[in-house]
Structures are given as C-alpha cells and as structure tokens.
Amino acid sequence: MLKRNYVLLASVLALSGCDKLGQQAMNALPDPSASQAQAAQGAYDDLRAQNFDQLMTRLEPELQAKFDGNEKQMHKFARGLPKAEYKTKKIVAKNMVKSTGQPSKYTVTYEYAYEKNLVQYDVSFDQAGGSDKIRDLSVSVFGESIK
C-alpha cells in the first residue's frame, strides 16, 4: 500500500513537472507581434464571415495559391465555425520550426471557447515579430455540431 502511494505520488510529480517544462518552453518563445496578432484575428474573423477575398490579402502568396480555386471547399470548411461570440480566447501553444531547405515557421495556437464549442486555431508566420503575412493556418472545432 505504501509503495503504491509512492508510485502514485511520483507519477503526479512527474506529470506536474512535464506541465511546467511545457509552459517554460512556450514562454521561451515570444508572443506574436501586435500586427501578427491582428492578422491572425482578422483571418479568423474572415473565415467565420466567409469573406475569402479579404482573407486572401492576409496570406503569403504560396498559401494564396494553395487556396485559390478551392472556394467551394473553403465555404464548406467555414460553415463549420461557430458564429456566436466567443467567451474566451487565449494562446495555448507557440512553436518555432526551422529546417534545412524549408522556410522557418512560427506557429501560434489560439483556443477560442464558445458556449458549446472549443476551436483550436493554428496560425503560422515566418518568425515571431516578423512578417504579418500568414504562412499557414488550420482550424479544428470540438464540441456540439453546428448547423
């Protein structure tokens, strides 16, 4: 019994240590600049409003080319986003990827909490404090189905 309690305590301490390490790693990267945060929010709002012409102006040319001609798919995707006002918005992760032969990618993950949904929104730029043109984006909706 005592041995099991030690194992349980060790597990809890290990998990809390991992959480602290993850938080320290996230804090080691700077937050996006004000213009990057504004571009990220604007792109999210454009998706929700299905304002794809405005959305395209916020994207790097490579991402514009990827989305160009897929308006039907974009409409289907955007319809799945909650239209209600979100209750909270926070940054839950930041990541910087640099690889040989590929452009760097600084990704910020936002979490938007709605009454019955949670949206995870990943938006990437060239670097923290760099360009406000979006290099990549991804949105996942969790919770009750939206009709």
Side-chain angles (χ1 to χ4, degrees), residues 30-40 106 108 110 125 127-132:
D31 283 343
S33 68
S35 65
Q36 287 174 327
Q38 186 176 18
Y106 166 70
V108 180
Y110 292 94
F125 300 96
Q127 63 184 355
S131 170
D132 64 359

Side-chain angles (χ1 to χ4, degrees), residues 36-46 48 86 89 110 112 121:
Q36 287 174 327
Q38 186 176 18
Q41 183 63 50
Y44 183 75
D45 293 341
D46 291 341
R48 289 177 58 209
Y86 55 88
K89 169 189 159 187
Y110 292 94
Y112 290 85
Y121 172 52

Side-chain angles (χ1 to χ4, degrees), residues 36-56:
Q36 287 174 327
Q38 186 176 18
Q41 183 63 50
Y44 183 75
D45 293 341
D46 291 341
L47 274 173
R48 289 177 58 209
Q50 298 183 27
N51 186 357
F52 303 121
D53 290 338
Q54 180 62 34
L55 172 66
M56 293 296 231

Side-chain angles (χ1 to χ4, degrees), residues 12-23:
V12 169
L13 290 174
L15 289 175
S16 68
C18 288
D19 185 44
K20 288 178 185 172
L21 287 174
Q23 187 65 40

Side-chain angles (χ1 to χ4, degrees), residues 71-137:
E71 193 165 324
K72 185 177 179 180
Q73 192 69 15
M74 290 173 65
H75 277 282
K76 181 179 174 184
F77 173 72
R79 278 194 302 270
L81 294 173
K83 301 300 182 238
E85 288 302 312
Y86 55 88
K87 298 200 178 287
T88 61
K89 169 189 159 187
K90 63 183 176 179
I91 294 175
V92 294
K94 294 180 279 187
N95 185 27
M96 183 70 187
V97 175
K98 294 181 184 179
S99 59
T100 309
Q102 294 290 324
S104 63
K105 193 152 82 167
Y106 166 70
T107 303
V108 180
T109 301
Y110 292 94
E111 180 183 273
Y112 290 85
Y114 294 85
E115 181 135 350
K116 297 181 180 183
N117 299 95
L118 188 67
V119 175
Q120 179 180 314
Y121 172 52
D122 299 318
V123 60
S124 301
F125 300 96
D126 61 345
Q127 63 184 355
S131 170
D132 64 359
K133 290 294 185 183
I134 296 172
R135 185 160 280 182
D136 199 7
L137 59 85

